Amino acid sequence: MSAVIVRAPGKINLALSVGPLADDGYHPLATVFLAVGLYEYVAAEPADTLQLEFDPASAIPVADLATDDSNLVIRAARLLAEATGCTAGARLRVKKNVPIAGGMGGGSADAAATLVACNELWGTNLTRTDLESLAAQLGSDVPFAVSGGAAIGTGRGEQLARTLVGGELHWVLRFNDRGISTPAAYRALDEHRAQFAEHLGPAPIPEVDPALLQALRAGDVGALAPQLVNDLQAPALRMRPELVAALAAGERAGALTGIVSGSGPTLAFLARDAQDAAAIAERLRGDGHRVAQVSSPAEGATRCC
Ligand code: C5P
């Protein structure tokens, strides 16, 4: 059998409402995931053992990434093999476009694509639902990278309820050279809440505003823009104060609004339409920034050849 190639999308969070730190080290969430058209590719070929390499032609530097058992790709393949009793190996080659530690679920997309690719390669025939439950064991964002589209995420983010998007939404992503570690962003939020507990009161019960879902269903970008919220935005901006000016610059360039994606530092700018997105991307690129114009919703992990 020749290579199975699967792509899986990066995500942004249109809402990310974070509850208090729980005993398991995670925070209960209410989030709205949106898969965007920026993809990771995983090629799986038959092999005797599990082997991982990153394609040097990736859009981002991959030289420093671990290729041993600590990588989520190897963990995903191993988990599928264990769950199905499969003893085959695979040579896995990952081409990355989604930033590392960028708040867009790039590592999660790699894991999701690996599950789907190895399931095909090995003929293990698990259903999408089976794959999504395995995905939940790998990380909070992995089930969404399998399913794609748009979904409300609760629990740690792994419990998904699909939600509709009325039409195509257009975004400009602004990347950064230095990532933010997800645990560090959550920790910064907890510390801030602890420090100002007297003013802030107890951490809120996470929830998503129905007005956001309504705007999303209607595909009404004007109504959607003011609804975008992210509890991790303030900690990300405190860790990277230069992002405050970067958000303002995106709005000056014509975006309806800008938001930190997940735990950051990638910024997502919502455009009125594809033409506006192209103009915003052009302006930010002209200022020397690395950007991508993407549309959404994007489909989940899918075999592309
Ligand atoms: O689930 P995942 O391994 O992607 O989570 C990475 C880290 O992000 C966790 O170790 C935790 O510090 C933080 N996290 C959290 N609450 C969530 C999801 C992630 O605190 N709901």
Side-chain angles (χ1 to χ4, degrees):
M1 189 182 195
S2 56
V4 172
I5 302 180
V6 171
R7 70 175 193 181
K11 59 82 189 168
I12 58 180
N13 301 77
L14 303 184
L16 180 50
S17 172
V18 180
L21 176 65
D23 292 341
D24 62 2
Y26 285 84
H27 297 73
L29 302 182
T31 187
V32 179
F33 288 115
L34 179 69
V36 297
L38 186 72
Y39 298 95
E40 300 284 89
Y41 291 83
V42 173
E45 281 175 353
D48 295 334
T49 56
L50 279 179
Q51 304 153 29
L52 167 62
E53 62 187 16
F54 288 97
D55 190 335
S58 293
I60 51 177
V62 292
D64 293 340
L65 293 178
T67 53
D68 61 10
D69 281 18
S70 66
N71 192 288
L72 211 50
V73 167
I74 295 287
R75 287 172 47 208
R78 248 189 235 303
L79 183 65
L80 177 66
E82 276 160 22
T84 57
C86 176
T87 54
R91 179 167 175 256
L92 300 162
R93 189 175 171 88
V94 180
K95 188 168 184 192
K96 291 194 67 72
N97 291 300
V98 180
I100 296 157
M104 289 194 63
S108 301
D110 296 344
T114 301
L115 287 174
V116 173
C118 289
N119 192 40
E120 282 281 331
L121 181 76
W122 294 337
T124 37
N125 289 326
L126 292 194
T127 63
R128 301 290 289 191
T129 314
D130 294 335
L131 292 176
E132 281 182 35
S133 17
L134 286 186
Q137 298 177 44
L138 293 164
S140 311
D141 293 344
V142 186
F144 180 70
V146 174
S147 71
I152 300 169
T154 52
R156 288 184 284 122
E158 87 289 10
Q159 290 165 29
L160 300 177
R162 211 163 238 292
T163 185
L164 293 176
V165 183
E168 210 176 3
L169 300 176
H170 300 274
W171 304 85
V172 175
L173 305 171
R174 182 194 187 280
F175 303 121
N176 291 272
D177 291 337
R178 216 158 36 102
I180 290 180
S181 116
T182 303
Y186 277 102
R187 219 166 27 242
L189 176 66
D190 293 336
E191 284 165 7
H192 183 79
R193 282 176 171 173
Q195 190 181 352
F196 298 101
E198 213 173 294
H199 300 294
L200 297 173
I205 294 169
E207 60 180 359
V208 168
D209 191 331
L212 185 154
L213 300 172
Q214 204 178 335
L216 194 58
R217 272 195 298 271
D220 182 344
V221 286
L224 182 63
Q227 293 296 337
L228 303 187
V229 285
N230 180 359
D231 283 351
L232 293 179
Q233 174 152 320
L237 297 183
R238 279 194 297 277
M239 290 158 92
R240 297 290 164 77
E242 68 274 16
L243 294 180
V244 175
L247 280 171
E251 290 175 12
R252 269 200 314 276
L256 292 172
T257 191
I259 194 164
V260 169
S261 175
S263 49
T266 307
L267 302 181
F269 293 105
L270 177 60
R272 188 163 294 285
D273 53 30
Q275 207 180 336
D276 271 16
I280 296 161
E282 195 52 43
R283 276 185 211 133
L284 295 183
R285 220 174 265 128
D287 289 340
H289 303 301
R290 261 190 320 119
V291 300
Q293 182 187 346
V294 293
S295 61
S296 60
E299 65 179 358
T302 313
R303 183 168 186 181
C304 46
C305 48

